[in-house]
Amino acid sequence: MDDYVNKEVVEIDKVIEGNQNGAMRRVTTETHPSAPDGSGRRLYGMVAVSFGMLCVLQVALNISLRLVSDCLTEERDQLPASYNDLIIERDQLQKEKDYIMGKCSNPGWNKFESCWYFVSSESKTWSESRQDCVERGADLVIVNSREKQRFLFALNKRAWIGLTDRETEGSWKWVDGTPLRTRYWIIDQPNNGRSLSSFPEEDCVELQNGQDQPEKTWNDLNCALKRIWICELCNNNLL
């Protein structure tokens, strides 16, 4: 009888123990999450790629900001130099203005367009006339437009202008070295003195007054003869 009771107790204990183990296994299984499937891995990959792209964009943004900062710094550093250049240019323009006003405020100067013109009251050779103009900060007049030619014609003076072919016969040049383009010769001029054997080599040019046509007043003449002269003072004459 005792053996039978003990056997039943042992069987009951095994059943209880089995039920406990099963319950523990179920609890353990339910408390551990399942491993990610294929869609979960793809989601993780997309997150990783997005994070990487954000990092690349951040690096690019940092580089761009650095370049912009460097450019702004360089422009800021150049501002003092640009300001100084403007000051120098302003002072130079003021100096030129004062120079012209000082030179041309004396009697004998006439203004036409943007230049001033001096007509002498005495006569000198072409070279001496040019030297006088240079000493005044000017040079013998250059006629490079019809308007200026008409302005000079209206002065009604027989005077030297800044045109010569002393360097090469027949190659007429102005005192600034530019070749002759616009021509206002008297009919049959220049003739290099062929009509006057006593004054050969007519290599300098004068304006002749008393002409009927404003655009036909130039005459070549021997440079050693004496005439009054016309100086021209423009900004590009200033030293």
Side-chain angles (χ1 to χ4, degrees):
M1 183 65 177
D2 292 335
D3 291 337
Y4 175 78
V5 173
N6 291 334
K7 184 176 180 180
E8 288 295 328
V9 171
V10 170
E11 290 296 332
I12 292 172
D13 291 338
K14 289 181 178 181
V15 172
I16 293 172
E17 183 179 357
N19 291 336
Q20 289 177 344
N21 291 336
M24 291 180 65
R25 283 194 297 272
R26 285 197 299 273
V27 172
T28 302
T29 302
E30 291 175 358
T31 56
H32 286 79
S34 60
D37 56 9
S39 61
R41 287 193 294 271
R42 286 195 296 272
L43 179 59
Y44 294 152
M46 292 175 62
V47 172
V49 171
S50 299
F51 182 75
M53 292 179 65
L54 287 175
C55 292
V56 172
L57 290 175
Q58 182 64 44
V59 172
L61 179 60
N62 291 341
I63 294 174
S64 299
L65 290 175
R66 180 61 182 271
L67 291 175
V68 171
S69 177
D70 292 343
C71 291
L72 291 176
T73 301
E74 183 178 354
E75 291 182 1
R76 181 199 64 193
D77 295 339
Q78 290 176 351
L79 285 176
S82 300
Y83 177 77
N84 291 335
D85 291 341
L86 290 174
I87 293 298
I88 293 174
E89 183 177 358
R90 182 203 64 186
D91 293 342
Q92 180 63 25
L93 290 174
Q94 185 63 44
K95 180 179 179 181
E96 292 177 359
K97 177 182 177 181
D98 294 342
Y99 183 88
I100 291 177
M101 294 302 295
K103 284 288 185 180
C104 303
S105 60
N106 297 324
W109 289 92
N110 298 280
K111 189 175 187 301
F112 175 72
E113 293 183 343
S114 60
C115 298
W116 290 82
Y117 298 88
F118 172 80
V119 180
S120 72
S121 58
E122 57 181 326
S123 298
K124 292 184 178 182
T125 66
W126 188 91
S127 296
E128 292 171 342
S129 299
R130 187 184 183 191
Q131 182 60 35
D132 179 84
C133 291
V134 171
E135 291 175 356
R136 297 174 186 272
D139 211 331
L140 286 173
V141 62
I142 296 173
V143 186
N144 49 16
S145 70
R146 179 176 299 177
E147 292 75 17
K148 188 184 293 187
Q149 170 65 20
R150 288 179 174 270
F151 164 74
L152 297 174
F153 173 81
L155 296 177
N156 195 28
K157 302 292 184 180
R158 187 173 186 178
W160 290 124
I161 63 174
L163 184 62
T164 180
D165 70 342
R166 290 194 300 181
E167 292 184 0
T168 303
E169 181 62 36
S171 179
W172 295 96
K173 292 183 180 181
W174 296 103
V175 287
D176 65 353
T178 57
L180 175 64
R181 294 184 177 88
T182 306
R183 304 165 185 269
Y184 300 110
W185 297 106
I186 296 174
I187 297 175
D188 296 331
Q189 297 296 330
N191 63 4
N192 198 30
R194 286 189 297 272
S195 61
L196 296 173
S197 58
S198 58
F199 294 106
E201 296 299 324
E202 296 183 344
D203 296 332
C204 297
V205 179
E206 65 169 352
L207 288 174
Q208 278 200 359
N209 59 341
Q211 303 300 309
D212 296 331
Q213 301 182 53
E215 297 171 15
K216 295 185 181 298
T217 61
W218 293 1
N219 175 52
D220 62 335
L221 198 66
N222 185 281
C223 301
L225 294 178
K226 293 185 177 182
R227 295 286 186 271
I228 65 172
W229 63 93
I230 302 175
C231 301
E232 181 178 45
L233 178 60
C234 302
N235 286 346
N236 56 0
N237 295 126
L238 300 178
L239 299 177

